[in-house]
Every structure is written in structure tokens, then in C-alpha cells.
């Protein structure tokens, strides 16, 4: 599997698709410095990142990964002496690694910017956000790869926008947030970063401060990821004859 991930990297290394995982968080940091600045810099960067920029950039990255193979009508994958599901999982793991890198870049940027301008986000909270956001958005990787392969760029990006809006609306609901997978990352950031999905601080007395949601949220996200991974892998293998 490591060879497949490296193959994806080499295939995209000189394209925008190979750079977006670093470019997107850097643009977010610059935008936050320009629009927020001061002690609000880190909070603004994190909030705009997980609520809009992260899912949007992830959908674009998945599309660009698919587009490279589409230009060759997937012959470069289907002619390999390995099962199509394994090639598909290699793409998923490559994009998942990029997701982690993106979150780490944003964390390091907010760490440096917070040291210079002041911050309301703790270093430990930011580090926890890196791994929780990676786990929380992991299920969207196979989904966006599937949407990109089956329907193209527009539906993949449009899907990320719709999921983001629904997630922001559902996350503050104490009793039903867990029913919406796209609300899970936003909900987990309430106790971890102390931010509501709209960017305002979580009130001290609010139930949204409870850390009891973290473990269930991570487990639910991983269950969604496994379901998406298995479902899209089976679809890709069956699609081989029609590609």
C-alpha cells in the first residue's frame, strides 16, 4: 500500500493537486491575518478552515487526483497486476495523508501567528484539532473521490458546500448533531477550540463545552469512513469494465 501512496505522490507532484494540501491552509492563514489579525487570528483561521476551506479544498484535491487517471481512461490503474480496490484504497490513503498534512500546516501557522499576535486558542487544543479534524473529515475522502469519478468536479465541490452548510447548522444541536456526519467535526471543535460553528466563543455554561462527545464523534466518523471506503471500493471494481 505504501508503494501505491508513493505512486500517487509522484503522479501529482508537479501539479496543483500535489500542492493543494499545503497551499490551501497557507491561503487560509493569509486570509485570516488580513481579515482578523491580532488575538482573533488563530480562532478565525481555525473556524474558517474547518467550516469551509477544509472540505472545499479536500473535494478539489480528490477531483484532481481522479482527473489525472481519467485522462488515461483509468488504464494505468486497471492494467496493474493488483485488484482495482487496492488501487482505489491507495488514492484514499494518499488524500487522507494530505488531509493530515493540511491540518498540521494550519496548526503550525496558527502556532507561529498566535505567538506573534496573541491567541485565544491553546496549543494543546490546536494539536488535538489536527487529529480530530483529520478523523472527522476522513469519510469525505472516498465520497469526494466517488463523486469526482462518477459525476465530475461540479458535483464534488457542490456536495462539499452542501455538507458544510448542513454541518454548521446541525453541530450546535445538543441532541441530534450525531445524526449528520458533516456536523461531527464542527461539534468536536466546540469543546476542543472553544468555538461555535459561527466563530463565536462557546458560552461557559453551554452544554457544547462537554468533552463527552469526542470519543463517540471519532467512532462515528470512523464508522462512516469504513462504510464509504468499502462501498466506493466495490463500486470502483465493478466500474472497471465500463471505464
Amino acid at each position: 500500500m505504501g508503494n501505491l501512496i508513493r505512486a500517487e505522490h509522484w503522479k501529482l507532484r508537479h501539479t496543483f493537486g500535489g500542492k493543494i494540501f499545503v497551499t490551501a491552509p497557507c491561503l487560509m492563514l493569509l486570509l485570516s491575518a488580513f481579515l482578523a489579525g491580532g488575538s482573533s487570528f488563530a480562532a478565525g483561521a481555525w473556524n474558517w478552515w474547518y467550516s469551509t476551506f477544509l472540505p472545499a479544498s479536500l473535494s478539489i484535491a480528490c477531483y484532481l487526483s481522479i482527473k489525472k487517471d481519467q485522462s488515461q481512461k483509468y488504464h494505468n490503474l486497471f492494467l496493474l497486476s493488483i485488484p482495482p480496490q487496492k488501487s482505489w484504497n491507495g488514492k484514499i490513503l494518499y488524500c487522507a495523508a494530505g488531509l493530515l498534512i493540511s491540518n498540521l500546516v494550519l496548526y503550525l501557522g496558527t502556532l507561529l501567528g498566535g505567538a506573534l499576535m496573541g491567541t485565544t486558542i491553546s496549543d494543546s487544543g490546536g494539536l488535538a484539532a489536527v487529529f480530530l479534524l483529520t478523523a472527522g473529515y476522513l469519510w469525505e475522502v472516498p465520497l469526494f473521490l466517488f463523486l469526482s469519478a462518477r459525476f465530475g468536479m461540479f458535483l464534488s465541490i457542490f456536495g462539499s458546500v452542501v455538507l458544510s452548510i448542513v454541518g454548521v447548522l446541525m453541530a450546535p444541536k445538543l441532541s441530534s448533531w450525531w445524526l449528520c456526519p458533516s456536523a461531527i467535526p464542527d461539534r468536536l471543535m466546540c469543546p476542543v477550540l472553544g468555538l461555535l460553528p459561527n466563530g463565536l466563543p462557546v458560552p461557559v455554561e453551554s452544554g457544547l463545552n462537554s468533552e463527552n462527545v469526542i470519543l463517540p464523534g471519532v467512532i462515528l466518523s470512523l464508522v462512516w469512513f469504513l462504510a464509504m471506503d468499502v462501498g466506493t471500493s466495490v463500486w470502483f471494481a465493478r466500474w472497471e469494465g465500463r471505464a
Side-chain angles (χ1 to χ4, degrees):
M1 194 59 72
N3 289 334
L4 290 173
I5 297 174
R6 283 191 290 272
E8 287 293 321
H9 169 69
W10 281 99
K11 188 167 30 177
L12 297 169
R13 69 189 187 282
H14 295 311
T15 68
F16 181 64
K19 300 178 176 65
I20 191 171
F21 291 117
V22 173
T23 303
C26 288
L27 288 175
M28 182 70 267
L29 291 166
L30 289 174
L31 184 63
S32 182
F34 178 73
L35 295 178
S39 61
S40 300
F41 162 74
W46 275 115
N47 180 249
W48 294 330
W49 174 246
Y50 67 75
S51 63
T52 54
F53 265 64
L54 176 53
S57 62
L58 185 59
S59 67
I60 294 171
C62 289
Y63 167 74
L64 294 175
S65 176
I66 287 292
K67 182 183 178 182
K68 193 71 173 179
D69 294 314
Q70 279 182 333
S71 64
Q72 302 177 46
K73 298 183 178 180
Y74 300 99
H75 291 162
N76 58 322
L77 297 182
F78 293 142
L79 294 178
L80 294 176
S81 59
I82 58 175
Q85 295 99 318
K86 197 167 184 180
S87 297
W88 183 257
N89 283 322
K91 298 178 94 48
I92 290 174
L93 290 177
Y94 170 78
C95 292
L99 173 62
L100 176 60
I101 290 170
S102 287
N103 288 323
L104 281 171
V105 170
L106 192 89
Y107 168 65
L108 294 174
T110 55
L111 206 63
L112 177 60
L116 295 174
M117 294 183 279
T119 181
T120 58
I121 306 297
S122 68
D123 295 348
S124 60
L127 186 59
V130 169
F131 298 103
L132 292 176
L133 288 176
T134 300
Y137 278 105
L138 203 56
W139 69 276
E140 291 191 352
V141 172
L143 174 64
F144 290 150
L145 286 172
F146 164 75
L147 291 176
S148 297
R150 187 65 183 85
F151 303 104
M153 180 179 67
F154 174 78
L155 195 58
S156 178
I157 296 177
F158 179 75
S160 74
V161 173
V162 172
L163 287 171
S164 296
I165 293 173
V166 174
V168 167
L169 293 175
M170 289 291 293
K173 299 183 183 299
L174 289 173
S175 61
S176 56
W177 62 271
W178 58 275
L179 295 173
C180 176
S182 62
I184 295 175
D186 297 53
R187 180 64 180 86
L188 297 186
M189 293 305 100
C190 292
V192 171
L193 298 179
L195 296 174
L196 293 169
N198 60 10
L200 295 175
V202 180
V204 176
E205 70 282 358
S206 174
L208 295 172
N209 278 313
S210 174
E211 296 182 353
N212 294 335
V213 300
I214 294 177
L215 182 58
V218 171
I219 292 174
L220 279 171
S221 294
L222 295 180
V223 169
W224 274 99
F225 169 69
L226 289 174
M228 289 291 178
D229 179 32
V230 172
T232 58
S233 295
V234 171
W235 167 82
F236 187 69
R238 292 179 177 175
W239 197 45
E240 175 181 1
R242 300 192 296 273

